[in-house]
Amino acid sequence: MGNIIAIVGRPNVGKSTFFNRLIQKRQAIVDSVSGVTRDRHYGKADWNGQEFSVIDTGGYIIGSDDIFEGEIRKQVDLAIDEANAILFLVDAQQGVTDLDITVAHHLRKSDKPVFLVANKVDNGQILEQAVELYSLGMGDYYCISSINGSGTGELLDSVVEAIPKQEQEEEESDIPRFAIIGRPNVGKSSFVNALVGEERNIVTNIAGTTRDSLDTHYTKFGHDFVLVDTAGVRKKKKVHEDLEFYSVMRSIRSIEYSDVCLLLVDATLGFEAQDQSIFHLADKNRKGIVILVNKWDLVDKNTHSVKKYQAAIREKIAPFKDVPILFVSALTKQRLLKALQAAIDVYKSRKTRISTSKLNEVMLEVINQNPPPATKGKYIRIKFCTQLPTKTPTFAFFANLPQYIKEPYKRFLENKLREHFNFTGVPLQIFFRKK
């Protein structure tokens, strides 16, 4: 199960710089997708072989300086709720401020490991000044400089020590795990209730994952799967604002615990930036994805509605457009079983293994007809390809000059793989290696 580490602190203490330093090795995975500005506040990092997700809460506060304490407090509370460990960043050059004291006060109530981190410690004088951080009542602190990276190693050693060890790949259960994700108020709870219905006796609650969540084991209509810790398991603290941060943080958890994500979208609102952020989270985590447009019963339909609507969504989720999009209604229970069937199909596709001989037979033919364009007068030859033994479909193509193969050609190969083999709803990874 994924560990989440949250970086909290008042504005301008260097949270983003620190965040970038933590995930730098993995920057490729957190490529900012055009149109999803906030995506870059979530990333994956690993330290000494221990992988974790990092969330920079700072990126979610709008309008930085005139921030009132309330916003930061909400973020800190949410971080305490959701994260396995919290890094509390303060600016050692500026010293302790009132806002730092407020944040510290909240963090002291947490039973999660909290690390007090003095940032911008660039010389011995600041190191001496930093002693005043003891006044926060948080105990010892770590001195770092996120600009040049000094001190981060020691900090990460302690953090990795404090978070739950990851089990080596949990025993692969054959029961698919589906997460129902989406921003607040799209009808996730109604969707779950419509599926599970009142027949509670059919539903066995498996004592949940690490959090106090109950996963629902669903065995109706010949289906057998686990609904992952979805909406409505825990009472939301009254959140009136539709905080993007809130829904992203909640989604990350469910996404990481699942095999396939059912992304619920509100038909009356369309596919908005926040839906896009959540889609990209699932994509980055390489989970299967099915998009369900909920509340379809409330939409005026003319003959082209479905096609137009699908096209509009596909345009927004590009380049990964090969995703099932279904129109459902939790209220009238329209197409709910179709939605489940789609999720099960995606789950199966995600486990697909293509034999090396079949893969080469198909793909080398494609490559011969459309070889990669020559670069700097050098011809690129791809002689062999194979599917790697990973949990999600990943392919390696062996070439004489892998470094010259550009993104468009990679996308071309991905499209061809999708054309010849069924990977609908499944993110693919393609690597080029020296033969």
Side-chain angles (χ1 to χ4, degrees):
M1 296 301 175
N3 277 307
I4 294 185
I5 289 173
I7 305 172
V8 302
R10 61 185 176 79
N12 307 328
V13 292
K15 293 193 290 294
S16 298
T17 317
F18 178 56
F19 169 79
N20 288 337
R21 179 158 288 282
L22 287 191
I23 60 168
Q24 61 188 353
K25 300 201 295 289
R26 312 284 301 249
Q27 199 61 49
I29 295 180
V30 273
D31 261 349
S32 182
V33 182
S34 61
V36 187
T37 45
R38 306 268 169 80
D39 252 24
R40 67 181 81 106
H41 301 293
Y42 161 76
K44 293 232 165 200
D46 75 35
W47 186 254
N48 296 344
Q50 180 80 320
E51 199 181 70
F52 48 88
S53 299
V54 188
I55 295 174
D56 162 19
T57 61
Y60 292 92
I61 292 186
I62 325 274
S64 56
D65 289 351
D66 53 340
I67 275 312
F68 35 98
E69 294 169 18
E71 271 310 283
I72 289 191
R73 197 176 61 232
K74 270 199 294 254
Q75 307 234 333
V76 170
D77 285 344
L78 187 59
I80 289 174
D81 252 10
E82 298 286 338
N84 298 85
I86 297 162
L87 305 181
F88 172 26
L89 236 62
V90 292
D91 179 338
Q93 296 182 8
Q94 278 199 333
V96 174
T97 68
D98 290 349
L99 209 44
D100 292 326
I101 293 170
T102 309
V103 173
H105 173 66
H106 276 278
L107 287 174
R108 282 202 300 269
K109 295 189 258 188
S110 156
D111 49 1
K112 303 280 170 79
V114 176
F115 297 85
L116 177 57
V117 182
N119 191 17
K120 308 187 189 177
V121 180
D122 302 328
N123 58 46
Q125 189 195 344
I126 301 170
L127 190 63
E128 282 171 27
Q129 276 171 305
V131 176
E132 71 157 320
L133 293 181
Y134 282 117
S135 69
L136 287 171
M138 310 282 299
D140 280 334
Y141 54 88
Y142 293 78
C143 290
I144 66 161
S145 162
S146 43
I147 297 287
N148 63 31
S150 67
T152 43
E154 203 180 323
L155 168 64
L156 287 176
D157 284 343
S158 306
V159 170
V160 166
E161 194 93 322
I163 56 182
K165 285 284 164 281
Q166 270 171 310
E167 302 304 313
Q168 275 334 73
E169 294 305 329
E170 284 103 85
E171 63 298 341
E172 274 288 286
S173 92
D174 288 335
I175 303 184
R177 300 174 63 82
F178 296 160
I180 292 168
I181 58 173
R183 50 204 174 83
N185 309 324
V186 292
K188 296 190 290 294
S189 306
S190 339
F191 184 81
V192 176
N193 292 341
L195 279 184
V196 175
E198 292 315 300
E199 304 157 53
R200 288 284 165 182
N201 55 341
I202 296 182
V203 180
T204 48
N205 282 325
I206 304 165
T209 41
T210 46
R211 306 167 55 218
D212 45 341
S213 71
L214 290 176
D215 289 355
T216 306
H217 192 167
Y218 182 98
T219 49
K220 258 158 75 170
F221 307 113
H223 288 301
D224 186 10
F225 58 84
V226 171
L227 279 179
V228 175
D229 178 30
T230 36
V233 169
R234 299 159 73 198
K235 293 272 181 292
K236 297 193 177 104
K237 300 200 179 62
K238 294 199 173 49
V239 176
H240 296 301
E241 306 80 329
D242 182 351
L243 261 185
E244 180 160 2
F245 174 62
Y246 181 90
S247 41
V248 167
M249 189 99 163
R250 277 281 142 91
S251 307
I252 288 170
R253 256 296 184 245
S254 320
I255 288 169
E256 293 198 336
Y257 285 150
S258 67
D259 298 307
V260 178
C261 297
L262 303 172
L263 171 58
L264 241 63
V265 181
D266 184 328
T268 59
L269 297 177
F271 195 83
E272 301 186 319
Q274 209 174 328
D275 300 307
Q276 219 171 343
S277 295
I278 294 175
F279 175 85
H280 289 304
L281 283 178
D283 179 9
K284 268 184 218 156
N285 273 290
R286 298 190 285 287
K287 303 299 184 184
I289 305 174
V290 176
I291 294 176
L292 303 179
V293 181
N294 189 25
K295 309 188 186 174
W296 191 238
D297 50 315
L298 303 178
V299 175
D300 287 338
K301 302 174 207 33
N302 58 34
T303 41
H304 303 299
S305 287
V306 166
K307 281 212 171 79
K308 265 195 210 145
Y309 215 103
Q310 281 182 330
I313 292 180
R314 289 193 201 284
E315 198 175 306
K316 289 187 174 163
I317 59 177
F320 175 30
K321 294 198 267 201
D322 183 15
V323 176
I325 300 175
L326 284 87
F327 295 83
V328 302
S329 161
L331 196 67
T332 64
K333 304 203 175 177
Q334 188 185 11
R335 298 197 194 86
L336 293 196
L337 291 177
K338 269 211 172 103
L340 294 187
Q341 196 48 56
I344 286 165
D345 294 344
V346 168
Y347 173 76
K348 287 179 182 154
S349 304
R350 191 166 171 260
K351 286 184 129 36
T352 302
R353 314 251 351 130
I354 297 162
S355 74
T356 303
S357 55
K358 179 83 181 134
L359 192 63
N360 281 282
E361 181 189 321
V362 171
M363 294 308 289
L364 293 183
E365 175 66 20
V366 165
I367 291 164
N368 285 336
Q369 289 172 1
N370 295 281
T375 311
K376 303 179 182 164
K378 297 193 167 65
Y379 288 97
I380 301 165
R381 293 187 180 78
I382 298 175
K383 290 279 186 240
F384 178 73
C385 54
T386 183
Q387 183 173 356
L388 300 176
T390 47
K391 278 181 73 171
T392 58
T394 307
F395 298 90
F397 287 80
F398 293 85
N400 56 344
L401 300 164
Q403 65 277 26
Y404 289 136
I405 299 175
K406 302 277 190 296
E407 194 56 42
Y409 193 73
K410 187 173 171 178
R411 202 159 291 156
F412 163 76
L413 288 181
E414 178 178 330
N415 290 337
K416 288 295 174 192
L417 278 167
R418 291 184 180 285
E419 215 172 282
H420 291 280
F421 306 101
N422 177 18
F423 286 116
T424 298
V426 183
L428 302 182
Q429 280 186 298
I430 293 178
F431 295 108
F432 296 103
R433 303 246 171 102
K434 194 95 179 125
K435 58 176 181 216

